[in-house]
Amino acid sequence: VAAAAAAADAAAEAAAGASGRPQPRSLSDTKCPVCLDPIKEPACGPCGHAFCHGCIKQALSKAAKCPSCRKAMRAKQVHRIFF
């Protein structure tokens, strides 16, 4: 049991990377902070936070700021992410 726990801890540390934060393994692991689902049609604003394109557009129609950091943002500043 102790060996399994040590292996799980080592895997978690490896996934954390140099920043000490867990890093997403793929886009499907990345959740939209607005809808909490995997990001669909990824988009981001000038602050760099990523959202579903529809979610960020809807959020900005209610308040002109990033839903994550509250930095002022306009819909014209949102850019789709293609890869």
Side-chain angles (χ1 to χ4, degrees):
V1 175
D9 288 343
E13 287 177 16
S19 68
R21 294 183 185 166
Q23 301 297 313
R25 293 192 179 122
S26 70
L27 185 61
S28 63
D29 291 337
T30 305
K31 307 289 187 217
C32 172
V34 176
C35 68
L36 304 178
D37 289 330
I39 292 180
K40 299 173 225 67
E41 299 182 14
C44 71
C47 59
H49 290 111
F51 306 91
C52 298
H53 186 252
C55 290
I56 189 60
K57 291 289 190 176
Q58 184 178 18
L60 291 175
S61 72
K62 295 177 181 6
K65 49 189 163 182
C66 171
S68 291
C69 67
R70 305 289 186 228
K71 183 177 179 181
M73 183 188 323
R74 297 181 314 228
K76 289 181 179 182
Q77 295 175 295
V78 173
H79 300 283
R80 291 282 311 276
I81 302 170
F82 298 98
F83 52 94

